[in-house]
Amino acid sequence: MSAIRHLILIEHDHKKIFPATLALIVAAQKITASIDLLLMGRNIQDIAQQAAKIAGIDSVISCDAPQYEYFLAEECAPVIVAMMADYSHFWCAGTSAGKNIAPRVAGLLGIGQVSNVVAVHGERSYTRAIYAGSVLVQIETPEQKQILTIVTTAFPVLASAAQSAIETSVKIIAKPPAALQNLSRFLHNKTTTSDRPELTAARIVVSGGRGLGSTENFALIESLAQVLGAAVGASRAAVDAGFVANDCQVGQTGKIIAPELYIAIGISGAIQHLAGMKDSKTIVAINKDPDAPIMQIADYAIVGDLFEIVPQLISLLKNKSA
Ligand code: FAD
C-alpha cells in the first residue's frame, strides 16, 4: 500500500458539526497517519472554521457548492473518488448519509467496503459487527484502499475540551466541485421539532414498546422522558403500530445509540432492538415477563406491570425535583 493517509467525512447541519462523526477521528487515529477532514455542503465557511479547530488533524478540505447541500451520494461520490488518488483510507459514520455515500465511493473505485467497524487493529485489520451486531468478526482486508463505515457509538467522541484547547487553526483547502451528475434530486426535508434532546445525542433515553398498547398510553413514556430530560425512543413494533413517529425507532433498522442510561419499557428485547441500544452504559428494563430477553442484558430489571410502575416512577421523580 502507498503511504497511509486518512480522509474523514464529517457531517453537519450547516450550523454545527455532528459530534458523533468526531468519533471517526478517534477511529482513524488508531492507525498513525495524516488526517484530513472532508466537509461537503453549501456555504460552509463557518463549519470549515469550526472543523479547523479540532485537535489532531492536518487539514480541512472544503467542498462548497450547491449540489452538496443535501449530501446526495450521486453528487458527493465523484469528488471523493477523485480525491482517493491521494488517500489510503476513507472513513464515514454509519449514518444515513455515510451508508449512502461510502458504498457508492467503493463501487466507483471497484473495491470492497468494510462496514460497521467497531475496532481498528491495523491499517487493514478491523473488527466489524455482523448479524445485527450479534456477532463480531475480526477481518483483514486485501484491498489497497479502504472504504470504511464505523459504528460511532463504539468509539469515544473527542472531548470538546480537546477541541477548544487548540489555539492555532489548521489549513482549510477549498476543493472545486465535480461535474453535476443530475442522477438524483432533493425533494423535501420533513423534520420533527422537539424541545427534548435529540435521540442519538441524548444522555438518557426512555423507550417504549408494544407493551404500551396504544398511542394514548405511549404518553406515559413521554411523561417519564419529560421529567428526566430524556429523549424518547421506541421499538419497531411500537412504531409499526403507530404509537409514535418512526424517527424514534431504535435498533437494526432504526437508530443505533449508546446513552448513559437507557430505560426500556414494555419492550421484549428482540435481537434487532438490542442491536441499537446494547452498548448503553446502564440499561433499565421494565417488563412483566421476567424471562424477556431484555432482562438478560439489563443492569436493573424491574418485573411488573408498566402501568403501575411508570406512574409511580414519574411521581417519585417529580417529588424529588420539587
Ligand atoms: P414485543 O416483542 O411484542 O414485546 C412487548 C413486551 O412488552 C413483552 O416483553 C411483554 O412482556 C411486555 N409487556 C406487555 N404488557 C406489559 C405491561 N403491562 N407491563 C410490562 N411489560 C409489558 N425491532 C426494533 O425494535 N428495532 C429495529 O430496528 C428492528 N428492526 C428489524 C429488522 C428486521 C429485518 C426484522 C425482521 C425485525 C426488526 N425488528 C426491529 C422487530 C423485532 O424483531 C421485534 O419484533 C420488535 O423489536 C418487538 O418490539 P417490542 O419488544 O415492542 O414488542
Side-chain angles (χ1 to χ4, degrees), residues 9 142 160 301:
L9 181 67
S160 51

Side-chain angles (χ1 to χ4, degrees), residues 125-311:
S125 176
Y126 312 93
T127 297
R128 56 179 297 253
I130 59 171
Y131 297 114
S134 49
V135 176
L136 298 178
V137 282
Q138 187 171 342
I139 58 136
E140 186 100 15
T141 161
E143 301 290 4
Q144 293 300 308
K145 289 184 187 287
Q146 325 267 301
I147 309 297
L148 306 130
T149 64
I150 73 159
V151 177
T152 51
T153 54
F155 298 90
V157 171
L158 281 181
S160 51
Q163 296 171 48
S164 56
I166 297 299
E167 280 171 19
T168 50
S169 292
V170 299
K171 196 163 76 177
I172 301 173
I173 302 162
K175 186 90 191 159
L180 257 185
Q181 303 295 305
N182 278 328
L183 293 170
S184 58
R185 203 154 46 92
F186 174 79
L187 291 181
H188 64 266
N189 184 10
K190 220 168 121 186
T191 48
T192 328
T193 48
S194 166
D195 52 3
R196 273 198 289 275
E198 204 271 314
L199 184 53
T200 54
R203 284 183 53 248
I204 307 175
V205 173
V206 182
S207 262
R210 192 177 352 232
L212 270 297
S214 69
T215 310
E216 293 70 38
N217 292 341
F218 205 88
L220 267 181
I221 301 295
E222 315 253 352
S223 305
L224 182 55
Q226 190 69 40
V227 281
L228 287 169
V232 168
S235 70
R236 175 155 148 187
V239 167
D240 287 351
F243 301 167
V244 64
N246 64 4
D247 59 350
C248 292
Q249 185 177 316
V250 172
Q252 182 190 344
T253 44
K255 292 187 173 133
I256 296 178
I257 56 174
E260 297 289 320
L261 174 62
Y262 187 85
I263 308 179
I265 302 173
I267 292 178
S268 60
I271 185 169
Q272 297 90 351
H273 186 80
L274 301 187
M277 44 63 70
K278 65 175 172 25
D279 292 329
S280 305
K281 311 294 171 291
T282 302
I283 299 171
V284 176
I286 302 176
N287 201 302
K288 65 181 182 187
D289 176 6
D291 297 323
I294 192 88
M295 304 309 234
Q296 310 303 315
I297 66 151
D299 298 288
Y300 299 94
I302 305 171
V303 180
D305 187 343
L306 71 91
F307 296 108
E308 287 172 18
I309 296 164
V310 179

Side-chain angles (χ1 to χ4, degrees), residues 79-156:
V79 72
I80 299 168
V81 167
M83 290 172 72
M84 283 307 289
D86 299 326
Y87 292 92
S88 56
H89 292 65
F90 176 59
W91 300 82
C92 282
T95 53
S96 309
K99 285 180 183 171
N100 200 10
I101 292 170
R104 198 165 183 92
V105 171
L108 289 169
L109 287 169
I111 56 179
Q113 174 185 314
V114 182
S115 311
N116 298 328
V117 170
V118 296
V120 180
H121 308 294
E123 62 188 80
R124 291 185 189 188
S125 176
Y126 312 93
T127 297
R128 56 179 297 253
I130 59 171
Y131 297 114
S134 49
V135 176
L136 298 178
V137 282
Q138 187 171 342
I139 58 136
E140 186 100 15
T141 161
E143 301 290 4
Q144 293 300 308
K145 289 184 187 287
Q146 325 267 301
I147 309 297
L148 306 130
T149 64
I150 73 159
V151 177
T152 51
T153 54
F155 298 90

